[in-house]
Amino acid sequence: MKIAVVGTGYVGLSNAVLLSQKYEVKAVDIIQEKVDKINNHISPIEDKEIEEFLKNKSLNLSATTDLKSAVVDANYVFV
């Protein structure tokens, strides 16, 4: 199952990280710096659990600024 999560603030990134433990997740944000951090397993927000998950867990998570490519074949889209 493919899931797109639009927005990588506290709520969006938390959901993306949790869902990506089991499903393919694409996180979308308009800020390239946040996208780059997520793709490098660095949390763009201060949150101990998110930082830990990104650093140590095997997640099926990628981030992009391209909304269309993220949602085109997604089964679910969270906004």
Side-chain angles (χ1 to χ4, degrees):
M1 180 181 335
K2 296 181 181 181
I3 300 171
V5 177
V6 180
T8 60
Y10 182 76
V11 173
L13 188 56
S14 297
N15 283 314
V17 167
L18 292 174
L19 290 166
S20 69
Q21 293 179 79
K22 187 168 182 175
Y23 306 107
E24 179 182 347
V25 177
K26 291 208 178 187
V28 182
D29 205 287
I30 60 171
I31 301 171
Q32 185 65 51
E33 182 181 349
K34 290 175 81 174
V35 168
D36 293 341
K37 283 185 175 184
I38 294 165
N39 287 331
N40 287 306
H41 309 282
I42 300 168
S43 178
I45 59 174
E46 289 186 36
D47 182 278
K48 183 180 176 181
E49 286 79 18
I50 290 175
E51 291 170 3
E52 172 95 14
F53 273 67
L54 286 171
K55 188 176 182 180
N56 299 317
K57 297 278 185 176
S58 178
L59 304 175
N60 193 355
L61 174 64
S62 63
T64 183
T65 57
D66 186 359
L67 177 64
K68 185 177 180 180
S69 72
V71 301
V72 70
D73 25 334
N75 300 97
Y76 295 97
V77 178
F78 289 88
V79 180

PDB file of all heavy atoms in Angstrom, residues 10 17 47-54:
ATOM      1  N   TYR A  10       4.631  18.641  12.903  1.00  0.00           N
ATOM      2  CA  TYR A  10       4.592  17.637  13.956  1.00  0.00           C
ATOM      3  C   TYR A  10       3.596  16.514  13.660  1.00  0.00           C
ATOM      4  O   TYR A  10       3.940  15.332  13.740  1.00  0.00           O
ATOM      5  CB  TYR A  10       4.257  18.287  15.305  1.00  0.00           C
ATOM      6  CG  TYR A  10       4.260  17.302  16.430  1.00  0.00           C
ATOM      7  CD1 TYR A  10       5.459  16.832  16.955  1.00  0.00           C
ATOM      8  CD2 TYR A  10       3.079  16.789  16.933  1.00  0.00           C
ATOM      9  CE1 TYR A  10       5.477  15.901  17.960  1.00  0.00           C
ATOM     10  CE2 TYR A  10       3.090  15.853  17.953  1.00  0.00           C
ATOM     11  CZ  TYR A  10       4.287  15.409  18.461  1.00  0.00           C
ATOM     12  OH  TYR A  10       4.296  14.471  19.457  1.00  0.00           O
ATOM     13  N   VAL A  17       6.063   8.812   9.822  1.00  0.00           N
ATOM     14  CA  VAL A  17       7.041   7.914  10.445  1.00  0.00           C
ATOM     15  C   VAL A  17       6.366   6.637  10.935  1.00  0.00           C
ATOM     16  O   VAL A  17       6.856   5.524  10.690  1.00  0.00           O
ATOM     17  CB  VAL A  17       7.792   8.638  11.588  1.00  0.00           C
ATOM     18  CG1 VAL A  17       8.561   7.656  12.455  1.00  0.00           C
ATOM     19  CG2 VAL A  17       8.733   9.688  11.020  1.00  0.00           C
ATOM     20  N   ASP A  47      11.816  16.515  18.179  1.00  0.00           N
ATOM     21  CA  ASP A  47      10.962  15.504  18.791  1.00  0.00           C
ATOM     22  C   ASP A  47      11.814  14.261  19.005  1.00  0.00           C
ATOM     23  O   ASP A  47      12.312  13.670  18.042  1.00  0.00           O
ATOM     24  CB  ASP A  47       9.760  15.191  17.898  1.00  0.00           C
ATOM     25  CG  ASP A  47       8.839  14.183  18.538  1.00  0.00           C
ATOM     26  OD1 ASP A  47       9.130  12.972  18.452  1.00  0.00           O
ATOM     27  OD2 ASP A  47       7.818  14.597  19.122  1.00  0.00           O
ATOM     28  N   LYS A  48      11.976  13.882  20.254  1.00  0.00           N
ATOM     29  CA  LYS A  48      12.868  12.777  20.611  1.00  0.00           C
ATOM     30  C   LYS A  48      12.514  11.475  19.891  1.00  0.00           C
ATOM     31  O   LYS A  48      13.386  10.793  19.362  1.00  0.00           O
ATOM     32  CB  LYS A  48      12.836  12.578  22.125  1.00  0.00           C
ATOM     33  CG  LYS A  48      13.769  11.513  22.628  1.00  0.00           C
ATOM     34  CD  LYS A  48      13.685  11.380  24.136  1.00  0.00           C
ATOM     35  CE  LYS A  48      14.551  10.235  24.619  1.00  0.00           C
ATOM     36  NZ  LYS A  48      14.465  10.060  26.063  1.00  0.00           N
ATOM     37  N   GLU A  49      11.221  11.126  19.879  1.00  0.00           N
ATOM     38  CA  GLU A  49      10.812   9.858  19.273  1.00  0.00           C
ATOM     39  C   GLU A  49      11.001   9.872  17.754  1.00  0.00           C
ATOM     40  O   GLU A  49      11.467   8.884  17.170  1.00  0.00           O
ATOM     41  CB  GLU A  49       9.367   9.526  19.640  1.00  0.00           C
ATOM     42  CG  GLU A  49       9.184   9.050  21.066  1.00  0.00           C
ATOM     43  CD  GLU A  49       9.176  10.182  22.089  1.00  0.00           C
ATOM     44  OE1 GLU A  49       8.977  11.352  21.694  1.00  0.00           O
ATOM     45  OE2 GLU A  49       9.376   9.893  23.277  1.00  0.00           O
ATOM     46  N   ILE A  50      10.630  10.960  17.105  1.00  0.00           N
ATOM     47  CA  ILE A  50      10.805  11.044  15.653  1.00  0.00           C
ATOM     48  C   ILE A  50      12.282  10.977  15.305  1.00  0.00           C
ATOM     49  O   ILE A  50      12.677  10.269  14.369  1.00  0.00           O
ATOM     50  CB  ILE A  50      10.143  12.317  15.092  1.00  0.00           C
ATOM     51  CG1 ILE A  50       8.621  12.205  15.184  1.00  0.00           C
ATOM     52  CG2 ILE A  50      10.573  12.556  13.642  1.00  0.00           C
ATOM     53  CD1 ILE A  50       7.870  13.456  14.778  1.00  0.00           C
ATOM     54  N   GLU A  51      13.114  11.694  16.050  1.00  0.00           N
ATOM     55  CA  GLU A  51      14.557  11.652  15.805  1.00  0.00           C
ATOM     56  C   GLU A  51      15.081  10.224  15.938  1.00  0.00           C
ATOM     57  O   GLU A  51      15.867   9.761  15.108  1.00  0.00           O
ATOM     58  CB  GLU A  51      15.285  12.573  16.792  1.00  0.00           C
ATOM     59  CG  GLU A  51      15.020  14.042  16.539  1.00  0.00           C
ATOM     60  CD  GLU A  51      15.534  14.952  17.648  1.00  0.00           C
ATOM     61  OE1 GLU A  51      16.154  14.454  18.621  1.00  0.00           O
ATOM     62  OE2 GLU A  51      15.305  16.170  17.541  1.00  0.00           O
ATOM     63  N   GLU A  52      14.633   9.528  16.976  1.00  0.00           N
ATOM     64  CA  GLU A  52      15.053   8.148  17.217  1.00  0.00           C
ATOM     65  C   GLU A  52      14.607   7.211  16.086  1.00  0.00           C
ATOM     66  O   GLU A  52      15.387   6.398  15.591  1.00  0.00           O
ATOM     67  CB  GLU A  52      14.467   7.667  18.551  1.00  0.00           C
ATOM     68  CG  GLU A  52      14.669   6.208  18.841  1.00  0.00           C
ATOM     69  CD  GLU A  52      15.892   5.966  19.698  1.00  0.00           C
ATOM     70  OE1 GLU A  52      16.426   6.916  20.275  1.00  0.00           O
ATOM     71  OE2 GLU A  52      16.290   4.806  19.760  1.00  0.00           O
ATOM     72  N   PHE A  53      13.358   7.331  15.667  1.00  0.00           N
ATOM     73  CA  PHE A  53      12.834   6.472  14.607  1.00  0.00           C
ATOM     74  C   PHE A  53      13.577   6.709  13.294  1.00  0.00           C
ATOM     75  O   PHE A  53      13.942   5.759  12.607  1.00  0.00           O
ATOM     76  CB  PHE A  53      11.332   6.703  14.411  1.00  0.00           C
ATOM     77  CG  PHE A  53      10.464   5.864  15.300  1.00  0.00           C
ATOM     78  CD1 PHE A  53      10.451   6.063  16.668  1.00  0.00           C
ATOM     79  CD2 PHE A  53       9.662   4.861  14.773  1.00  0.00           C
ATOM     80  CE1 PHE A  53       9.653   5.295  17.497  1.00  0.00           C
ATOM     81  CE2 PHE A  53       8.862   4.082  15.589  1.00  0.00           C
ATOM     82  CZ  PHE A  53       8.861   4.299  16.960  1.00  0.00           C
ATOM     83  N   LEU A  54      13.766   7.969  12.927  1.00  0.00           N
ATOM     84  CA  LEU A  54      14.456   8.271  11.675  1.00  0.00           C
ATOM     85  C   LEU A  54      15.896   7.760  11.688  1.00  0.00           C
ATOM     86  O   LEU A  54      16.398   7.288  10.668  1.00  0.00           O
ATOM     87  CB  LEU A  54      14.441   9.775  11.389  1.00  0.00           C
ATOM     88  CG  LEU A  54      13.109  10.352  10.930  1.00  0.00           C
ATOM     89  CD1 LEU A  54      13.169  11.875  10.889  1.00  0.00           C
ATOM     90  CD2 LEU A  54      12.712   9.807   9.563  1.00  0.00           C
TER      91      LEU A  54
END
